[in-house]
Structure formats: structure tokens, C-alpha cells
DNA sequence: TCCCAGGTCCTGA
DNA sequence: TCAGGACATGGG
């Protein structure tokens, strides 16, 4: 991997296991959108990031090496050995095919608070709608960042900002029945921010137990939060898509979500979360079980 | 009109 | 512990 700055861009050559379509379309994040030139633009913390890929070269617009060290490197999971992970979870033909199909997937290290609220919104919702609600919340309550390629960008609102927001205004963001849950979570997070940001240093069970004390966070959402923002990679969140592919290709049709999760965690081991992402992407892109 | 979406909560056995 | 319905919203 070769990293250098050129013309106000940061360029990384010879990246392996990195495909921006796989990364942004595998359902782990909701704030990235494709541009006409094939690049993706998104918001990470308080920064707008645009990323373009040509084969094994990735180009970040208006990013310098400092930004790479403080933000990009961790967010894009650049220090993880994906070959090793793929080898460890590649235990049969189904997962082998899925890994091949989504070879460029990476599990992003996202902000804990943003991930909590985002997956709270995901309950009984569609991905385009989830993205719209998050965008509405950011535009209504988040800090303005800048204009990029003709579009205004806003940071995801903090707990403080959502706490001040009247319930009706949250409802106007089309959050539906999740509006009160968001408001309640913000009120709690205001005083428990340290706990939330320290969960990655706790055990999986402690994290799960804590997250589920929030209204609107059940088993599935809690596991997504743990996987996508708290580095708990041994968990296997079961949603409709994962249920479909697992029931079709591994276990019986009437197997419960909990049993599917236990089956998968035993099968794929400490990197079950990565296996879940490959399977999710494969199932969704190929309509498995529909 | 009905069905469903990266589910959770509540209720009643 | 577990099944079944309600829940906002919008697209097919």
C-alpha cells in the first residue's frame, strides 16, 4: 500500500479487499451517496469525504495525510488483515461464494451515538427511507459543514442537539413511531455519553445488556451497534435478509433468529460479524430466499 | 387495497 | 419463554 498527497487529494495505491460499492452498499452505513462520476460522498464526524476508486487505487478529495491519520485510517479499518479474516470464516461453499461476491467489503468503524440512532431508525423500515430520515435529522438539527459539488452537508446531530429538538420536529423528519424513542435516547445519552463511548472496552454481554435498556433497541439493533461501532466482531445480527439466506441454505425454515445467531456464531467463530456482512450483501444483491 | 421493510414493544397464555 | 398484533411511513 502506497499513500501520498497530490493536487489537494490523498491517494492510496495497491489497496486490497477494498471496494467502495461493496463497502457502502452492504447496509452498514446510511450516509454515503453515489455521485455521477462513480465516486461516493459521505459525512464522517464533522467532515465531508469524497472517495473515488480506480481498480486498486483510491482517491480522497480534499484530504491530507493528517486527516488520514486522525479519521480515515480508523474509519475505513485500514489496519485490519482481511485476508486472514476471510481465511478464518471461509468454512464452506456458501460463505466462499459470498466472500467472492463481496470481496471488497470492510466493516467501518462508525460513531457509537450515530450508529445507535441510525439502527433504532432501521426497525421495520426500508434502507432508502432510513437514509432519508437520517438526512432529515442531520439537516434539521446537526451542524452545517459545507457545500460540496452543489450539495449542503450537515453533521449527524449530537445528543444535546436532539435533546433540544421538539418531538413534533423529530416527527417531521419522518421518523414515525421511532420519534419518541429517539428523543428518549437523546435525553439519556446526555448523561450517559461516557458509558456509550466506553462500551467498546467492555465485554460483548455487558454491551448487549446495556444497549437493550434503551427503548427501541432489541437484540438485532443492539448487535448491529456492537458490530458496526464497538468492534464486537463475534456477533451475528439476524435480520430479514440474513434470516432468508440462513434458512434457505443452512438451517430449517422455522429456526428462530436466536438459534440462527447461535448456529452462525459457532460456525464462523470470532469473526462471525464479517461473515454476516458477506452473507447479507450476497443475499440482498441476489434476492436469495425471495 | 394490501403487503412489506436490516424490529421492538406489549399483552396474554 | 413465546406467539401475535400494533406501530408511522412510503413504495410497489
Amino acid at each position: 500500500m502506497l499513500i501520498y498527497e497530490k493536487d489537494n487529494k490523498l491517494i492510496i495505491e495497491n489497496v486490497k479487499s477494498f471496494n467502495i460499492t461493496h463497502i457502502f452498499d452492504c447496509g452498514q452505513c446510511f450516509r454515503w451517496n453515489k455521485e455521477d462520476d462513480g465516486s461516493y460522498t459521505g459525512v464522517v464526524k464533522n467532515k465531508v469525504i469524497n472517495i473515488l476508486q480506480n481498480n486498486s487505487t483510491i482517491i480522497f478529495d480534499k484530504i491530507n495525510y493528517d486527516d488520514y491519520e486522525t479519521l480515515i485510517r480508523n474509519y475505513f479499518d485500514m489496519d485490519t488483515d482481511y485476508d486472514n479474516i476471510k481465511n478464518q470464516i471461509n468454512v464452506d461453499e456458501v460463505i466462499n461464494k459470498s466472500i467472492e461476491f463481496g470481496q471488497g467489503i470492510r466493516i467501518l468503524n462508525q460513531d457509537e451515538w450515530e450508529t445507535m440512532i441510525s439502527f433504532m431508525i432501521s426497525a421495520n423500515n426500508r434502507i432508502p427511507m432510513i437514509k432519508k430520515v437520517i438526512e432529515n435529522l442531520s439537516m434539521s438539527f446537526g451542524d452545517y459543514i459545507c457545500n460540496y459539488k452543489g450539495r449542503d452537508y450537515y453533521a449527524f446531530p449530537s445528543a444535546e442537539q436532539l435533546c433540544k429538538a421538539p418531538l413534533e420536529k423529530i416527527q417531521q423528519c419522518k421518523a414515525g413511531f421511532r420519534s419518541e424513542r429517539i428523543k428518549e435516547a437523546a435525553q439519556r445519552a446526555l448523561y450517559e455519553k461516557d458509558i456509550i463511548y466506553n462500551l467498546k472496552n467492555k465485554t460483548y454481554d455487558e454491551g448487549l445488556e446495556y444497549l437493550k435498556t434503551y427503548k427501541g433497541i432489541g437484540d438485532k439493533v443492539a448487535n448491529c451497534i456492537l458490530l458496526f461501532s464497538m468492534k464486537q466482531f463475534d456477533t451475528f445480527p439476524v435480520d430479514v435478509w440474513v434470516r432468508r439466506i440462513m434458512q434457505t441454505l443452512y438451517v430449517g425454515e422455522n429456526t428462530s433468529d436466536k438459534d440462527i445467531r447461535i448456529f452462525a456464531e459457532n460456525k464462523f467463530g470470532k469473526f462471525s460479524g464479517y461473515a454476516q456482512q458477506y452473507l447479507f450483501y450476497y443475499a440482498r444483491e441476489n434476492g436469495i430466499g425471495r
Side-chain angles (χ1 to χ4, degrees):
Chain A
M1 216 170 73
L2 175 66
I3 307 177
Y4 58 94
E5 291 178 37
K6 191 183 172 189
D7 302 334
N8 208 13
K9 297 176 196 296
L10 185 86
I11 299 167
I12 309 180
E13 291 180 1
N14 299 322
V15 269
K16 284 196 301 178
S17 296
F18 196 113
N19 180 301
I20 53 176
T21 304
H22 297 171
I23 292 170
F24 300 132
D25 286 353
C26 71
Q28 61 181 323
C29 53
F30 303 104
R31 295 212 68 192
W32 290 85
N33 291 302
K34 200 170 188 169
E35 304 278 3
D36 292 337
D37 63 359
S39 68
Y40 281 78
T41 305
V43 178
V44 181
K45 307 259 185 201
N46 279 308
K47 204 154 178 66
V48 174
I49 293 178
N50 174 267
I51 175 170
L52 178 69
Q53 178 161 25
N54 289 317
N55 301 314
S56 68
T57 301
I58 49 179
I59 302 158
F60 292 96
D61 194 22
K62 294 177 182 147
I63 292 286
N64 58 36
Y65 195 77
D66 259 7
D67 299 324
Y68 176 78
E69 284 298 333
T70 56
L71 198 64
I72 307 277
R73 185 171 177 173
N74 178 56
Y75 183 79
F76 283 99
D77 207 22
M78 299 305 283
D79 295 322
T80 295
D81 181 354
Y82 276 77
D83 282 343
N84 174 43
I85 290 168
K86 288 173 182 173
N87 282 334
Q88 293 212 35
I89 59 174
N90 196 352
V91 292
D92 63 39
E93 198 42 46
V94 174
I95 186 73
N96 182 54
K97 233 177 172 172
S98 303
I99 292 171
E100 229 168 74
F101 184 77
Q103 59 79 24
I105 287 175
R106 267 165 192 265
I107 294 191
L108 302 169
N109 288 299
Q110 302 183 68
D111 178 77
E112 288 89 334
W113 167 245
E114 178 175 342
T115 307
M116 274 178 73
I117 299 301
S118 296
F119 278 92
M120 222 178 240
I121 294 165
S122 78
N124 202 30
N125 215 344
R126 285 174 211 271
I127 290 178
M129 195 61 195
I130 300 165
K131 291 176 79 166
K132 194 177 279 178
V133 176
I134 293 171
E135 212 41 55
N136 290 341
L137 288 173
S138 302
M139 215 182 293
S140 304
F141 311 114
D143 292 331
Y144 174 72
I145 304 173
C146 69
N147 185 287
Y148 184 81
K149 290 186 195 251
R151 274 191 59 189
D152 285 331
Y153 285 89
Y154 298 82
F156 187 81
S158 64
E160 288 86 342
Q161 287 169 325
L162 281 178
C163 213
K164 283 184 204 149
L167 183 62
E168 311 82 66
K169 295 276 182 189
I170 296 177
Q171 287 167 332
Q172 281 168 18
C173 292
K174 306 295 180 191
F177 62 87
R178 309 165 197 85
S179 302
E180 286 154 34
R181 300 173 178 178
I182 294 170
K183 181 95 181 147
E184 270 187 56
Q187 284 162 345
R188 260 188 78 183
L190 209 51
Y191 300 100
E192 300 182 20
K193 201 181 292 175
D194 293 341
I195 301 177
I196 294 168
Y197 283 98
N198 196 35
L199 284 180
K200 60 163 117 21
N201 302 316
K202 301 276 185 183
T203 65
Y204 166 78
D205 287 328
E206 285 172 318
L208 187 72
E209 198 185 348
Y210 173 80
L211 289 171
K212 283 170 71 175
T213 61
Y214 281 79
K215 253 195 205 116
I217 300 182
D219 249 312
K220 191 273 170 179
V221 168
N223 278 295
C224 282
I225 298 165
L226 288 161
L227 176 59
F228 298 134
S229 71
M230 296 175 181
K231 296 179 182 290
Q232 301 285 356
F233 301 118
D234 52 350
T235 178
F236 192 90
V238 179
D239 58 61
V240 283
W241 290 101
V242 174
R243 186 185 308 133
R244 278 177 193 146
I245 192 167
M246 291 301 287
Q247 288 183 342
T248 308
L249 302 174
Y250 283 109
V251 295
E253 204 173 307
N254 294 317
T255 313
S256 71
D257 290 357
K258 193 180 172 188
D259 287 341
I260 292 174
R261 182 162 64 79
I262 292 165
F263 172 87
E265 286 170 3
N266 284 326
K267 189 173 186 63
F268 301 117
K270 63 178 178 178
F271 293 127
S272 296
Y274 289 91
Q276 193 268 9
Q277 278 310 94
Y278 292 117
L279 290 168
F280 173 86
Y281 186 62
Y282 184 73
R284 207 165 79 94
E285 297 295 313
N286 295 289
I288 303 287
R290 298 210 77 178

